[in-house]
């Protein structure tokens, strides 16, 4: 069965490889990722994952898509595209707990969408101005939700994590594996 990964993220491709899955195609979906007014982070993540999958649907193929959102309370933190945004996000998350929602949508060969959502609670240590500056100088934050990449240097800033590490990276493997198995694929047996 043909599997299409609807993602431009190299991290999602790497995560799929960890469970023995290599998609037949990788297609970057083009969807408007603007949050709706008052939209809750978990609802937003699920909506965007579903929209990404629907944007590249192919009859008879499986389409897998995901979206990861970093949230401070009800506030959705943007993907950091500049140093000021990354610095502001890190200052906001410093010494606090926040949630990371990672939604996964799989459209099966019959065109039916199946959804899963992972929620992870991440607690950052209190960050000094020097630590924030050093992390920003690394450039690792570019394009990352909440201004950090837990799979890199930012992992040393995390005091506690409760939930899915792979979900924070961008694809919760437990949920993804369950969806793929239900669709007839056999990730890791």
């Amino acid at each position: 069965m043909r599997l299409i990964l609807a993602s431009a993220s190299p991290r999602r491709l790497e995560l799929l490889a960890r469970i023995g899955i290599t998609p037949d195609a990788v297609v970057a979906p083009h969807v408007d990722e603007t949050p709706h007014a008052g939209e809750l982070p978990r609802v937003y993540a699920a909506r965007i994952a579903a929209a990404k999958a629907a944007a590249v649907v192919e009859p008879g193929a499986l389409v897998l898509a995901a979206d990861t959102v970093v949230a401070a309370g009800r506030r959705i933190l943007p993907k950091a595209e500049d140093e000021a945004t990354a610095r502001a996000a890190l200052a906001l998350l410093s010494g606090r707990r926040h949630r990371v929602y990672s939604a996964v949508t799989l459209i099966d060969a019959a065109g039916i969408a199946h959804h899963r959502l992972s929620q992870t609670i991440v607690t950052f240590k209190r960050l000094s101005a020097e630590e924030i500056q050093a992390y920003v100088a690394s450039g690792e934050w570019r394009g990352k939700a909440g201004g950090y990449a837990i799979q890199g240097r930012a992992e040393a800033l995390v005091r506690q994590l409760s939930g899915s590490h792979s979900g924070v990276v961008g694809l919760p493997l437990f949920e993804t594996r369950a969806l793929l198995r239900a669709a007839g694929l056999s990730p890791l047996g």
Side-chain angles (χ1 to χ4, degrees):
M1 193 172 323
R2 183 169 157 79
L3 174 65
I4 301 168
L5 175 61
S7 177
S9 168
R11 288 164 304 287
R12 290 193 177 113
L13 196 55
E14 292 167 8
L15 287 165
L16 278 176
R18 289 185 191 175
I19 59 171
I21 296 294
T22 302
D24 298 292
V26 178
V27 180
H30 299 287
V31 299
D32 179 3
E33 295 189 31
T34 306
H36 295 158
E39 189 171 32
L40 295 175
R42 68 186 311 133
V43 173
Y44 169 81
R47 178 176 66 82
I48 297 301
K52 287 177 180 179
V56 300
V57 74
E58 180 181 300
L62 300 176
V63 177
L64 180 71
D67 191 64
T68 301
V69 173
V70 174
R74 297 168 61 104
R75 181 178 173 188
I76 297 169
L77 299 185
K79 290 181 182 173
E81 301 298 340
D82 58 51
E83 288 188 8
T85 303
R87 193 173 282 110
L90 292 169
L92 176 66
L93 299 175
S94 174
R96 300 180 58 171
R97 288 183 349 164
H98 62 278
R99 286 180 165 66
V100 178
Y101 299 99
S102 196
V104 183
T105 295
L106 179 74
I107 298 178
D108 66 21
I112 299 168
H114 304 272
H115 313 279
R116 291 284 183 108
L117 179 74
S118 162
Q119 173 184 282
T120 303
I121 298 172
V122 179
T123 306
F124 269 25
K125 69 179 280 311
R126 181 157 304 282
L127 304 173
S128 68
E130 293 79 21
E131 287 171 316
I132 291 173
Q133 181 53 39
Y135 188 74
V136 169
S138 77
E140 186 178 83
W141 50 267
R142 291 186 194 285
K144 305 296 189 299
Y148 72 94
I150 198 167
Q151 69 275 20
R153 295 177 183 198
E155 191 164 10
L157 307 176
V158 173
R159 196 173 49 131
Q160 185 176 12
L161 183 140
S162 177
S164 171
H165 185 274
S166 63
V168 179
V169 176
L171 186 67
L173 292 179
F174 179 83
E175 290 78 3
T176 300
R177 180 176 183 266
L179 286 170
L180 292 170
R181 286 180 64 85
L185 293 181
S186 298
L188 291 184

